[in-house]
């Protein structure tokens, strides 16, 4: 039986089509996935992301622990509320998960991990605590819910729905968060649009969802979330990278920080011994068809494979991520095997769209 978020009843009441996603019963859409997608690009939409897991890390050894756990370096984050995106690697350099860590003090962090990897992540983190003998406490917060409000009008509509939130978050810069009592408002997201991700006590989630709807925010499901993130050039764990894929081959080299030669994070030795062999690039289909994951890609420099693909509502074209040879460059003509036919596509630089605009 799939888990249910604190907003499950609200989704059912709104007529959402529910599906099993990573062991959670989640809304895929509320009628029109395309309209939900456009609502986020042009106005404001909201997503129930309570299936993701927030973890609170506290203790005197928190910073040192995270510097060894993550490929990105939390030492460069010193402003309370500042967020850092990173991969957590295994010893072979594969991606256990991609996550966001929020810094509040040297002994206080919040980490948000993906739903499908949550149990695996917690087990790995606790294993590393034991291995390091770290003086930290890791607390999963399943008592919290998360709502992502995204779009050009997302912040204004959030302020209308949450009294007092504007004064606390109006000057919040992207990739920063602020705590308002038990609530955390982060200017982060997974759509390529401005907005907030709000973490709050589970018992308060349904009321906030209702207030956001009253403020003009449109409920959106997993379908729109996937097309939005793909247009925005954002990886999805389990498709664009996993335990067997190096971040160096997944378009995530920018999240790997090796500047401090003394910082021996898990997976560093493997990354140094195995330089990138492929790159992640965007594709736009030129012929009629739809790009999906796991389609064969043919280039002048060798073969590759699509990792994610969809029809882009913003571009009105079929788009994909593809892992291809390093020499493939934006502008190159390629072919993709779709149902036994080699169809023409062009390689482009990611992202495809952000901030309401097509970029390619």
């Amino acid at each position: 039986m799939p888990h249910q978020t604190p907003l499950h009843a609200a989704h059912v009441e709104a007529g959402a089509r529910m599906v099993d996603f990573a062991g959670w019963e989640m809304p895929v859409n509320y009628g029109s996935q395309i309209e939900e997608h456009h609502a986020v690009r042009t106005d404001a939409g909201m997503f129930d992301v309570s299936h993701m897991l927030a973890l609170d890390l506290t203790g005197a050894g928190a910073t040192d622990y995270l510097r060894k756990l993550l490929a990105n370096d939390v030492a460069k984050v010193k402003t309370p509320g500042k967020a850092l995106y990173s991969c957590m690697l295994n010893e072979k350099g594969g991606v256990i998960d991609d996550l966001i860590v929020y810094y509040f003090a040297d002994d206080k962090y919040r980490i948000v991990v993906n739903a499908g990897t949550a149990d695996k992540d917690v087990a790995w983190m606790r294993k590393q605590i034991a291995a390091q003998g770290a003086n930290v406490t890791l607390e999963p917060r399943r008592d919290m819910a998360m709502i992502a409000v995204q779009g050009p009008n997302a912040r204004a509509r959030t302020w209308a729905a949450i009294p007092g939130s504007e004064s606390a978050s109006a000057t919040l810069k992207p990739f920063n968060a602020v705590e308002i009592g038990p609530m955390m408002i982060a200017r982060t997201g997974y759509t390529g649009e401005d907005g907030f991700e709000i973490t709050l006590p589970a018992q308060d989630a349904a009321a906030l969802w209702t207030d956001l709807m009253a403020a003009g925010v449109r409920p959106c499901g997993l379908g729109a979330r996937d097309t939005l993130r793909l247009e925005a050039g954002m990886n999805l764990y389990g498709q664009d990278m996993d335990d067997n894929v190096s971040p160096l081959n997944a378009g995530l080299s920018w999240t790997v920080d090796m500047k401090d030669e003394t910082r021996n994070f898990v997976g560093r030795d493997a990354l140094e011994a195995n330089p990138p062999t492929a790159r992640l690039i965007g594709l736009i289909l030129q012929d009629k068809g739809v790009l999906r994951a796991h389609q064969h890609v043919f280039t002048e420099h060798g073969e590759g494979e699509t990792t994610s693909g969809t029809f882009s509502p913003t571009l009105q074209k079929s788009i994909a991520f593809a892992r291809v040879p390093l020499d493939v460059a934006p502008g190159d003509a390629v072919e993709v095997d779709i149902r036994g036919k080699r169809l023409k596509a062009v390689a482009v630089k990611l992202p495809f769209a952000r901030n309401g605009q097509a970029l390619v």
Side-chain angles (χ1 to χ4, degrees), residues 285 287-298 306 335-344:
L285 190 64
D287 289 329
K288 187 176 180 179
V290 180
L291 295 171
R292 302 292 186 194
H294 308 303
Q295 292 172 334
H296 211 76
V297 179
F298 302 89
T306 57
E335 292 182 329
V336 183
D337 185 331
I338 299 179
R339 296 182 177 179
K341 295 183 179 180
R342 288 171 60 151
L343 303 185
K344 294 179 180 179

Side-chain angles (χ1 to χ4, degrees), residues 165-179:
S165 61
E166 182 173 2
S167 60
S169 62
T171 60
L172 200 63
K173 295 180 180 179
F175 244 68
N176 282 266
V178 62
E179 292 181 300

Side-chain angles (χ1 to χ4, degrees), residues 155 158-170 178 180 183 185 196:
R155 293 200 299 154
T158 299
W159 294 330
I162 307 176
S165 61
E166 182 173 2
S167 60
S169 62
V178 62
I180 307 174
M183 178 185 298
I185 298 180
F196 294 131

Side-chain angles (χ1 to χ4, degrees), residues 175-209:
F175 244 68
N176 282 266
V178 62
E179 292 181 300
I180 307 174
M183 178 185 298
M184 185 182 85
I185 298 180
R187 199 172 173 189
T188 52
Y190 193 50
T191 64
E193 299 298 326
D194 199 1
F196 294 131
E197 291 181 311
I198 305 164
T199 306
L200 73 166
Q203 66 267 23
D204 299 332
L208 177 57
W209 188 266

Side-chain angles (χ1 to χ4, degrees), residues 198-270:
I198 305 164
T199 306
L200 73 166
Q203 66 267 23
D204 299 332
L208 177 57
W209 188 266
T210 299
D211 291 343
L212 287 165
M213 287 182 64
V217 182
R218 180 167 183 153
C220 302
L222 293 174
R225 185 169 165 84
D226 191 52
T227 54
L228 288 159
R229 71 91 191 168
L230 208 160
E231 287 185 351
M234 297 179 174
N235 285 28
L236 174 63
Y237 188 84
Q239 284 191 205
D240 307 307
M241 74 290 200
D242 56 34
D243 298 84
N244 297 309
V245 176
S246 162
L248 305 183
N249 291 332
L252 295 172
S253 297
W254 61 277
T255 70
V256 178
D257 190 333
M258 297 191 188
K259 294 177 182 177
D260 184 346
E261 296 181 359
T262 66
R263 188 175 74 94
N264 190 26
F265 61 84
V266 178
R268 177 170 185 155
D269 290 346

Side-chain angles (χ1 to χ4, degrees), residues 5-20:
T5 77
L7 291 166
H8 182 269
H11 303 319
V12 173
E13 184 179 353
R17 183 163 72 88
M18 307 297 287
V19 298
D20 186 338

Side-chain angles (χ1 to χ4, degrees), residues 43-179:
D43 188 3
M46 61 182 172
F47 304 85
D48 178 9
V49 289
S50 305
H51 58 314
M52 300 179 72
L53 177 61
L55 301 123
D56 286 342
L57 181 75
T58 56
T63 298
D64 287 342
Y65 166 72
L66 288 173
R67 294 194 75 207
K68 295 176 182 176
L69 180 76
L70 303 178
N72 214 338
D73 191 356
V74 298
K76 60 190 176 188
V77 180
K78 289 299 182 184
T79 304
K82 180 65 178 174
L84 184 74
Y85 176 69
S86 181
C87 291
M88 181 167 64
L89 309 181
N90 56 33
E91 289 93 342
K92 295 181 180 179
V95 181
I96 294 174
D97 197 11
D98 63 324
L99 52 82
I100 295 180
V101 56
Y102 297 90
Y103 168 86
F104 289 100
D106 289 342
D107 60 354
K108 180 184 177 183
Y109 293 83
R110 173 162 286 172
I111 306 165
V112 178
V113 302
N114 285 304
T117 56
D119 291 343
K120 176 183 71 170
D121 291 353
V122 172
W124 178 259
M125 290 176 181
R126 286 179 170 155
K127 179 180 178 181
Q128 297 308 310
I129 290 173
Q132 293 184 28
N135 180 19
V136 296
T137 298
L138 184 68
E139 181 186 3
R141 298 299 305 273
R142 279 296 178 203
D143 59 325
M144 307 297 281
M146 286 182 270
I147 300 173
V149 190
Q150 303 281 288
N153 296 325
R155 293 200 299 154
R157 296 194 188 280
T158 299
W159 294 330
I162 307 176
S165 61
E166 182 173 2
S167 60
S169 62
T171 60
L172 200 63
K173 295 180 180 179
F175 244 68
N176 282 266
V178 62
E179 292 181 300

